[in-house]
Structures are given as structure tokens and as C-alpha cells.
Amino acid sequence: MFILDRILPFIFSYIRPFIKWFLHAFTRLSELQRICYGARAGASRTRQVERSLTLSKSYEIKRVVHDLDEVAPYADNRQLLEFSSRAARVVMKAKRIKNNVHPDFARLFSNCVSTIWGYRRLMHQVEQLRAEKYDSDNPEHEYRLLELWQLLMPEAPLTGRVSKQWQDIGFQGDDPKTDFRGMGMLGLENLLYFASAYNDAAKHVLLHSMHPTRGYTYAIVGINLTSMAYNLVKTGQAKTHFYNVVALHKQDFNSIEDFHKLYCYLFFEFDRFWMESDPRNIMDFREIYQAFEITKLEALHDENTIFKTNLVVESV
């Protein structure tokens, strides 16, 4: 199996030009046209376009891909859309695609380009948040931490900024700042988004975490799930979900809010998975966490997968 994994890509790269030539001669359409017209909108079409652009031998196409890689992480929405339109014009010229004969191609292709490089911009935004360390001397950081407490425990005012009360929502000690070292502000922003956008669901999960025998440390588990979401995005495993989100909601590209929603889904589903696993105690965490991660990775291998945040629970 290992030998096949090494040999098959080499064989494919060798015969790919002949396959493309045959299909072009038979259909009179370029590879990108066949993908845009024939593949289902979402992850299926976008992944195939991404692969085709990556493997392209055309100097013009390689140049526009390089330019997109350079500017996308820092581009605003308008700039990203402009670069997507420019990429369509370059491809149409390189592949001799006439707009009056193929009026839908530019739109379909541009949508894929904005989705692909919108995802790469999202990767950059997520990494920036992860790299931003929690700073107790930063008033904005402190305000957002206190806001998390107020959203989760509105009826129990904090007795002080440093307090054992933080352990009630699953931090390890009296001062939560030390728990954000691995995921930085990304961990806090995820916890805060869950508590604000899906307050009932967050409180529902918090209540489960306080179970006398099956409980767990809510905030620490939440930060672990931030790490899971971050790794899914960084490795590209999450492309299936994010590409389908864009197609389903007819967005131009993904936003940081889409990442927060993925996190909320993972937290809510992990809580369900944890309770159904009937753990003996918190010592079962790693085994259950890894089993949960495997189920999500397997789901993402299906190009139709989209994790929907329908986190509706009774008020608690």
C-alpha cells in the first residue's frame, strides 16, 4: 500500500497530459470548463478547480496563482473579488475561452477562486488570533474574559479578577490567563462566541460539564476543541466543510465567523459524544477525544459533508 501511494501520483502526473488532450479533443472543452460545468457546486467543484490550477503548466495561470497566494491573506473583500475576476480573465485568455460562447464560465470559475483564496485568507486570520497571546495588561483582553464569565454565570458575580470561581467554568486555576498559552486569543474568542451566539447551548454544555461523575473541565476542553478546529483548518481537512458552506449560503468566501461556528458545532457535538460514551471519569478524556476527532475526519472525507450549527436546546 505504501508503494502504491508513492507510485500512483507519479503515474497520474505522467499520463495526465494525455488524458487532458483526449478529453479536450473529444469535448472541445478545457479541463477547467469540464469541472465548472460538470462538478457539483461546493467542495466537489472547488477542490477539482484547486487541483487543476495547482497542476497547471501554463505560465500565465501559474503567475496568477502566485499573485493570489501573495495578496489573499491580506486582501479585503473587494480586493479578493477583483483578483478572482482577474484570474477568470487570465484563464479565459490562456485557454482561449470565448465569453460569448461560454457566458457562464467566468462566474462559475470566479466563485471557485474566491472560495479557495477566501479559505487561505481565513487560515491567515485564524493563525493571527492563535499567535496573539493573552495579555492581562491589555484592557480589551481583560474585558472579553470578564464578558465570558458574565455570559456563562450571570447570577454569580465574580468576587475578584483572580478567583477560584474560574474553576467553576473549567479553568485550571485562579487566573485563566495561563490556560490560553497554547491557543492564544483564538481560544478565548471561540469560548466567547459560543457563549454569546449560542448562549442556551453553551449553558447546556456547561451544565453537563458539572455532572458529578461524568463532568469535565468546560474551558479546558473548549480550548482543546479550538486546537482541533485550528488543526482541521491548517491541514486543509476542513476544506470540505468550508467550501460547502460557501455554496450552501451563496457566500463569496468564508469569514472568521464561519470558523467560530465550526468550533461551536464541535463543542456541542463533543459534549453529546462524551455523555453518550458514558466515561468512568475525566481520565477517559484522551481516548474519547481522539475517537471523536476520528469521526469528524472520516465525515470530512465525504465531499458532501457540512457541519450545521443547529444548536437548539431548552433553556437551562
Side-chain angles (χ1 to χ4, degrees):
M1 184 61 71
F2 176 75
I3 295 176
L4 284 176
D5 289 342
R6 297 291 296 273
I7 293 177
L8 287 178
F10 173 77
I11 295 174
F12 176 76
S13 66
Y14 182 76
I15 66 174
R16 181 173 180 269
F18 299 100
I19 296 173
K20 287 179 64 179
W21 175 85
F22 174 78
L23 290 175
H24 184 268
F26 184 73
T27 65
R28 309 307 300 172
L29 297 173
S30 69
E31 181 181 55
L32 286 169
Q33 286 176 286
R34 294 193 300 273
I35 294 168
C36 287
Y37 298 153
R40 180 179 176 180
S44 177
R45 180 187 298 165
T46 308
R47 278 185 174 275
Q48 290 182 61
V49 167
E50 187 173 20
R51 178 176 177 80
S52 180
L53 291 174
T54 301
L55 296 175
S56 177
K57 303 297 184 184
S58 164
Y59 171 80
E60 294 84 356
I61 293 176
K62 289 168 72 173
R63 182 65 194 177
V64 80
V65 167
H66 175 269
D67 290 346
L68 280 163
D69 285 341
E70 290 290 313
V71 303
Y74 313 99
D76 59 28
N77 292 347
R78 180 185 59 81
Q79 291 170 328
L80 198 53
L81 290 174
E82 287 177 354
F83 269 94
S84 299
S85 297
R86 177 192 159 201
R89 291 193 297 271
V90 170
V91 167
M92 292 178 75
K93 183 178 180 180
K95 298 298 181 181
R96 300 177 183 176
I97 301 170
K98 296 181 179 179
N99 192 55
N100 61 330
V101 179
H102 300 283
D104 293 329
F105 176 77
R107 174 179 56 84
L108 297 174
F109 178 74
S110 294
N111 289 346
C112 290
V113 171
S114 61
T115 300
I116 293 164
W117 274 274
Y119 180 89
R120 297 184 188 185
R121 182 179 66 173
L122 175 64
M123 289 176 63
H124 178 73
Q125 293 169 337
V126 168
E127 179 57 39
Q128 281 188 310
L129 273 176
R130 189 203 65 80
E132 184 179 352
K133 303 302 181 185
Y134 184 90
D135 182 2
S136 57
D137 293 326
N138 185 322
E140 179 63 21
H141 291 187
E142 287 286 282
Y143 173 81
R144 296 186 75 69
L145 178 60
L146 294 173
E147 187 180 6
L148 175 65
W149 176 269
Q150 291 162 4
L151 286 166
L152 291 176
M153 305 288 279
E155 297 177 3
L158 273 174
T159 57
R161 164 61 182 80
V162 177
S163 168
K164 289 188 180 297
Q165 287 175 284
W166 289 111
Q167 296 175 36
D168 295 342
I169 60 172
F171 287 102
Q172 294 185 100
D174 299 351
D175 191 344
K177 69 178 183 181
T178 58
D179 293 327
F180 294 118
R181 282 175 296 193
M183 286 291 110
M185 284 299 293
L186 185 64
L188 176 55
E189 291 296 335
N190 275 168
L191 286 167
L192 190 56
Y193 186 90
F194 188 31
S196 58
Y198 303 98
N199 188 252
D200 285 349
K203 288 179 178 177
H204 176 81
V205 172
L206 178 62
L207 188 64
H208 280 176
S209 76
M210 295 176 176
H211 191 279
T213 57
R214 291 186 290 175
Y216 54 87
T217 48
Y218 176 92
I220 297 302
V221 169
I223 293 170
N224 272 275
L225 290 167
T226 291
S227 178
M228 182 187 294
Y230 168 77
N231 286 322
L232 288 175
V233 169
K234 185 178 179 180
T235 60
Q237 298 277 2
K239 285 181 180 179
T240 303
H241 164 75
F242 283 107
Y243 288 177
N244 284 331
V245 164
V246 170
L248 178 67
H249 299 297
K250 294 180 169 54
Q251 301 172 195
D252 291 318
F253 23 66
N254 295 117
S255 67
I256 194 67
E257 185 173 11
D258 292 323
F259 178 81
H260 289 316
K261 287 182 177 179
L262 170 64
Y263 168 82
C264 295
Y265 166 85
L266 291 173
F267 207 157
F268 194 75
E269 288 300 308
F270 174 79
D271 176 72
R272 189 203 311 274
F273 191 83
W274 172 269
M275 299 304 285
E276 289 176 355
S277 298
D278 193 22
R280 294 166 297 178
N281 51 52
I282 194 63
M283 298 304 292
D284 288 340
F285 173 76
R286 180 165 296 280
E287 180 182 348
I288 293 173
Y289 177 90
Q290 290 175 343
F292 174 75
E293 185 175 27
I294 288 170
T295 67
K296 299 309 160 192
L297 288 170
E298 289 175 345
L300 289 167
H301 287 150
D302 179 352
E303 65 182 18
N304 298 314
T305 290
I306 182 169
F307 297 138
K308 297 182 179 179
T309 48
N310 300 322
L311 315 184
V312 181
V313 297
E314 295 181 1
S315 297
V316 294

